[in-house]
Amino acid sequence: MSNRSGLNTLAHTDRLSSAIRQTLKMKLEALVPAWNDRVQDISAPGEVLTGPCAVIAFAEEVPKSAWAGYRRVIKISPYARPEDGGAEQVEVWSAALMEGLHQVRLEDEEGGAFTCIYLGSSDCDRVDASSGLVTRSLRFGVYVPETMERAQAETADSWMAALQSWTQAQLGQEWSVYGDAWPGGYGMPSVLWRLAGCSTTAAGTSTFEVRQQWVGHVLTDHSVLTRRTVTQLVEQLAVQARIGMIKAGSEDQSRNTRYLTVDEVSADLQADAYLNGQIRLTLQQRIRRPGTEVPLIREIHHSKGIV
């Protein structure tokens, strides 16, 4: 049983790698027209590259994040002829790759989405001994969300549901609002809310206070729109200060609405939208303690006289 499961997982990973590879090749050819039909896999032994071209190599796969999916590291190496500019041409192409792939959502032929994050250059410029071409290797992390029913289903958590509903009302129906984890095939523009921590403190003898820390990810295809949306959400949370939460099964909203109070909200506009999230939000709510049960009085003995 376990062997079959392992084989299924391996086959699934191989299919994803193949789909990602083909999608990346098409994207690279679009970014650098000089590489049309010249983006290839690692050369076979004895094969000599002819420039200009680019080579894609799949490197290590690292443990997945609970909300971002698993990460596969890839290396993209542009090759330029010395007579075409050599190192200067490689620099131009590297800049085009960083701008065209970093934090960019790509979609394969089957509708699966993944995000590329630039991780830096793994070595300095060098001359390939066999071809005489100038090259360098750029490292990208490819994050592929897992296809999980829980990530696509409507959340049952009342705090999450209230936060998602409020966000949807603020941004409109053209936005996708997710909870807990990026789903497979996630759309843009979108917002992801995930719970980062919680705590409770006493607030008197009959009530206690629940505090939850949330992280908000705002993902769009334009940096100006991303910054504007992050700022808008933070300002509206500060102004409104309360988020309505309808009790499950309630029909009369006016009598059964409880509120989450915005305790603190902040944003880091430089944070990675897909991985780390830009918004930090703390919500709180006071909850009445359940009544303490006491033993009932079963008998009363009464005496008229006092001795």
Side-chain angles (χ1 to χ4, degrees):
M1 189 71 173
S2 60
N3 289 339
R4 179 177 300 177
S5 176
L7 291 174
N8 290 338
T9 301
L10 181 60
H12 179 65
T13 302
D14 289 343
R15 185 195 63 78
L16 285 175
S17 297
S18 177
I20 290 171
R21 189 187 301 271
Q22 294 304 316
T23 303
L24 282 173
K25 285 183 177 181
M26 295 174 60
K27 179 65 175 179
L28 295 183
E29 291 179 6
L31 291 174
V32 183
W35 294 344
N36 188 30
D37 293 328
R38 302 183 67 86
V39 179
Q40 59 193 71
D41 301 323
I42 296 176
S43 303
E47 182 181 353
V48 179
L49 294 173
T50 57
C53 66
V55 173
I56 295 180
F58 276 58
E60 70 270 19
E61 182 177 332
V62 299
K64 62 192 175 188
S65 161
W67 62 89
Y70 81 85
R71 186 182 82 171
R72 189 70 183 268
V73 176
I74 62 170
K75 293 182 180 180
I76 303 175
S77 303
Y79 286 81
R81 295 178 297 192
E83 59 268 29
D84 293 337
E88 293 181 0
Q89 183 62 74
V90 168
E91 182 69 28
V92 172
W93 287 341
S94 297
L97 294 181
M98 287 183 283
E99 181 179 355
L101 289 180
H102 180 54
Q103 293 190 1
V104 170
R105 173 191 180 276
L106 297 176
E107 186 173 312
D108 61 32
E109 295 180 350
E110 298 182 5
F114 60 94
T115 299
C116 296
I117 306 293
Y118 178 60
L119 303 177
S121 180
S122 59
D123 56 19
C124 59
D125 291 356
R126 58 184 176 83
V127 176
D128 181 64
S130 60
S131 65
L133 301 176
V134 180
T135 185
R136 77 170 62 156
S137 294
L138 306 177
R139 298 175 69 251
F140 287 86
V142 175
Y143 288 83
V144 184
E146 286 191 297
T147 302
M148 298 178 293
E149 292 183 0
R150 71 176 183 87
Q152 297 174 344
E154 183 177 355
T155 178
D157 180 82
S158 57
W159 291 49
M160 174 72 82
L163 189 53
Q164 287 181 287
S165 178
W166 178 88
T167 305
Q168 195 78 71
Q170 295 296 317
L171 300 181
Q173 293 303 315
E174 66 272 17
W175 284 73
S176 298
V177 182
Y178 303 116
D180 293 329
W182 294 108
Y186 65 93
M188 284 177 48
S190 57
V191 176
L192 166 70
W193 288 106
R194 59 182 175 85
L195 181 63
C198 62
S199 61
T200 62
T201 56
T205 57
S206 60
T207 60
F208 64 95
E209 187 176 87
V210 179
R211 293 164 58 90
Q212 293 189 357
Q213 292 78 42
W214 295 83
V215 176
H217 302 244
V218 178
L219 189 64
T220 78
D221 57 2
H222 198 287
S223 59
V224 175
L225 176 60
T226 300
R227 290 195 300 269
R228 186 167 65 239
T229 305
V230 169
T231 303
Q232 174 189 346
L233 291 177
V234 169
E235 289 179 350
Q236 288 302 312
L237 284 166
V239 170
Q240 186 166 327
R242 294 199 310 172
I243 297 176
M245 182 176 66
I246 307 299
K247 290 182 179 180
S250 297
E251 296 181 357
D252 186 352
Q253 296 185 4
S254 62
R255 299 186 60 183
N256 291 283
T257 299
R258 301 191 65 181
Y259 290 93
L260 302 173
T261 302
V262 177
D263 181 66
E264 184 177 357
V265 60
S266 63
D268 179 1
L269 296 177
Q270 302 303 316
D272 185 288
Y274 183 84
L275 290 180
N276 302 320
Q278 308 97 318
I279 302 175
R280 297 296 182 272
L281 169 66
T282 300
L283 298 175
Q284 67 179 29
Q285 184 184 61
R286 288 200 173 188
I287 299 177
R288 184 174 297 278
R289 297 180 186 275
T292 303
E293 294 186 1
V294 296
L296 299 176
I297 299 177
R298 300 179 63 180
E299 296 182 4
I300 296 178
H301 297 275
H302 174 67
S303 175
K304 295 182 180 180
I306 298 178
V307 180

